[in-house]
Amino acid sequence: MLATDTTTADPAVRTASPPTARERLDELRLLKEEARDGTDPKATERQHARGKLTARERIELLLDPGSFREVEQLRRHRAVGFGLEAKKPYTDGVITGWGTVEGRTVFVYAHDFRIFGGALGEAHATKIHKIMDMAIAAGAPLVSLNDGAGARIQEGVSALAGYGGIFQRNTKASGVIPQISVMLGPCAGGAAYSPALTDFVFMVRETSQMFITGPDVVKAVTGEEITQNGLGGADVHAETSGVCHFAYDDEETCIAEVRYLLSLLPQNNRENPPRVESSDAPDRRSEVLLDLVPADGNRPYDMAKVIEEIVDDGDYLEVHERWARNIICALARLDGQVVGIVANQPQSLAGVLDIEASEKAARFVQMCDAFNIPIVTFLDVPGFLPGVDQEHGGIIRHGAKLLYAYCNATVPRISLILRKAYGGAYIVMDSQSIGADLTYAWPTNEIAVMGAEGAANVIFRRQIAEAEDPDAMRARMVKEYKAELMHPYYAAERGLVDDVIDPAETREVLAAALATFRGKHADLPSRKHGNPPQ
C-alpha cells in the first residue's frame, strides 16, 4: 500500500510552498522580455543612431506578420575568463528561427549587434548550426541577416571552429535549398566566406562592408590607405569584385527585395519555382521588337528593353546588374512560369564575352539548373574579347566555366539568336550543338565563324592583294561571303536552328516552348561529381 502522508519532518521545508504554474509563467515572461529587449536599454538607441535596424526589426520586415517562431531564445554561453562569466545575455547575440514569406516557410538567423557586437562564440555558432540543419531537413530557404564583428576573441579557437561548422553546412546545403546572405553591417576575416558560399548576397550602402583584411592591416602591409567602404563597401562589391549580387540604399528596400527574390525561387531542389496566374496574355504580339534591334550589326541597342517586351508585365529581377554589364542575368516570368534569362548586352563592350561575363553567367546558369528554373538565352554576341590581359587572365579557363555550366544543365534550355552569333562565343552561349532543347532565330540573325569582313580578309587574302582595286575586291568578297554563308536561313537549312520566327511573336513562341518542356527529365552520367574548370 502506497503512503499518502506527504508531510516532512523539517518544519522549515513544510512552510515553504513551491512556485505555482502562474508564478513560473510570470517568471518566463520576464526572461523572454529580457531576451527580446537585451540587457542594455541604450544598445538599441546606439544601433538606430548608426542608421541600422535591430535584428528583431529586420526579422519582422522579412517575414509575414506574426509568423516568426524563435528557437533557443534562452540560450546563453558557458565561456569563462576575460569577464565573460559575468556577462551572459540570453540569445548570445544571434536570433534564430523560422517563419513564412508569402505563406511559404523560410528559416532565418540574425546577428544581434547589440550583444557582443554580434560576434560569434561557441553557443552562438551552435545555434546557427542547428537552424541550418533544420532548414536542410525541412527543405526550406535559409536567410542570414549578417551584422557581426567576426569571431569572439575571448573564446579563442572555439569561436573559429564555429565558423568551420557554418561553412560545412553552407556547402552541404548548396544546390539543395536557396541560401541568401543579407549584409547589414561589418563582415570581416573568415566570416566573409559564409556569404561567399551562398547563392545570393545583398548589401546596404554605407552600413555594410565585407573584406578579408581591414584597412588597418592593408595599410600596415602595403602602405595603401583606404576607408572601410572603399575597401569592401556595397558599391565596390556590386561593381568591381562581383561578390555582391544586389546593393540598395536602405535596409527596408533591401529586405523587401529579398522577399521578392524568394517569391521567384522554389523551396528546394526537389520542387519547381512557384507559378502564378498572369494577366499578360502569352500570345501577346510585340511589334515594338521589330524596331528595337537594328539590322546593322555594328549599331548598339539596349537588350534590357527587349527583355521587358517579352517577359510578363515587363517585370524582371536582374542579378549582378552592375558587374560585367556586357551580359545580363535575370529572373522573370513567362506566362506565369519563372525563367532564368541570360542575354548579351550590346550597349556594353558590344556584348562580347570576357572573363567577368563568363563567370557571372556560369554561376547564374548553375543556380538555375540547381533549382529547376528553365533557361532562356538571348544571343547577340560578336565573340570573346581579344587582348593580352584577357588571355593572360585565363579567358580560356573562365570561358570554359560558362560552357561547362550550359552543357551540364538539365533544365529546359531555349535559345534565341537576335542578330550576331560569331565563333566560339556562339557555341558557348547555349547553341543547339551543346544541348539547347530548342533554338530559334530572328530574320536578322548572322551565324558564322566570324564577321564577314574578317572572313573575307582571310579567305580571299590573295585575290584582294592582287586586285587592281583592293577595296572594291574586298567589298565584293564580303558581299559574296554574306550571301553564301551568312544569310538568315543558312543555319536553319542545316538543322542548327529549329525555326526562324517573326520577332513580334517571340513571347508566344517562347511561352509555348516552355510549356512543352515543363516536364523535361534528363539524366547525367553516374558519378560522384564533375570537375568543372576553375
Side-chain angles (χ1 to χ4, degrees), residues 264-338:
L264 297 170
L265 300 175
Q267 290 292 91
N268 53 63
N269 65 338
R270 301 183 301 277
E271 298 182 10
N272 291 323
R275 191 173 187 275
V276 300
E277 291 299 321
S278 175
S279 59
D280 195 349
D283 59 352
R284 167 176 56 81
R285 285 181 60 84
S286 182
E287 301 290 339
V288 176
L289 292 174
L290 295 169
D291 302 312
L292 268 180
V293 181
D296 182 354
N298 295 318
R299 289 180 58 193
Y301 63 93
D302 188 358
M303 181 66 82
K305 293 182 178 179
V306 175
I307 295 172
E308 288 175 8
E309 281 296 317
I310 294 172
V311 301
D312 290 359
D313 303 310
D315 188 26
Y316 65 92
L317 179 65
E318 187 168 352
V319 179
H320 269 143
E321 179 180 2
R322 296 162 60 197
W323 182 59
R325 297 190 184 198
N326 43 323
I327 201 160
I328 294 173
C329 297
L331 293 170
R333 282 191 166 93
L334 262 171
D335 192 22
Q337 180 178 351
V338 177

Side-chain angles (χ1 to χ4, degrees), residues 342-407:
V342 180
N344 306 110
Q345 174 55 290
Q347 274 196 336
S348 179
L349 295 176
V352 298
L353 287 178
D354 62 1
I355 289 173
E356 292 185 345
S358 299
E359 287 192 341
K360 171 180 170 178
R363 184 85 195 282
F364 183 76
V365 168
Q366 288 173 172
M367 185 279 299
C368 289
D369 186 49
F371 294 116
N372 307 312
I373 300 173
I375 301 166
V376 177
T377 304
F378 295 147
L379 286 88
D380 190 347
V381 58
F384 283 94
L385 182 65
V388 174
D389 288 344
Q390 288 290 305
E391 296 295 343
H392 288 185
I395 184 61
I396 297 172
R397 176 167 51 88
H398 293 285
K401 293 179 183 179
L402 180 55
L403 179 61
Y404 188 99
Y406 269 124
C407 290

Side-chain angles (χ1 to χ4, degrees), residues 137-191:
L142 175 70
V143 178
S144 62
L145 303 175
N146 298 271
D147 186 7
R152 196 174 299 169
I153 298 172
Q154 300 94 320
E155 295 195 30
V157 71
S158 296
L160 292 178
Y163 276 122
I166 293 173
F167 303 156
Q168 189 268 341
R169 287 166 174 81
N170 284 137
T171 304
K172 180 180 178 182
S174 181
V176 178
I177 58 171
Q179 299 180 84
I180 300 173
S181 297
V182 189
M183 315 310 296
L184 302 165
C187 184

Side-chain angles (χ1 to χ4, degrees), residues 407-447:
C407 290
N408 202 48
T410 60
V411 293
R413 291 156 48 191
I414 301 168
S415 60
L416 173 67
I417 302 161
L418 282 65
R419 203 170 56 173
K420 300 184 298 297
Y422 294 162
Y426 152 63
I427 300 297
V428 168
M429 289 287 292
D430 206 19
S431 62
Q432 189 179 94
S433 60
I434 66 168
D437 295 297
L438 284 169
T439 303
Y440 296 105
W442 284 0
T444 47
N445 81 82
E446 294 180 358
I447 307 173

Side-chain angles (χ1 to χ4, degrees), residues 73-95:
Q73 185 183 52
L74 301 180
R75 186 70 179 262
R76 305 164 86 177
H77 73 77
R78 296 175 292 180
V80 295
F82 306 101
L84 283 177
E85 63 273 9
K87 190 177 182 182
K88 301 174 68 174
Y90 293 112
T91 75
D92 200 44
V94 65
I95 301 166

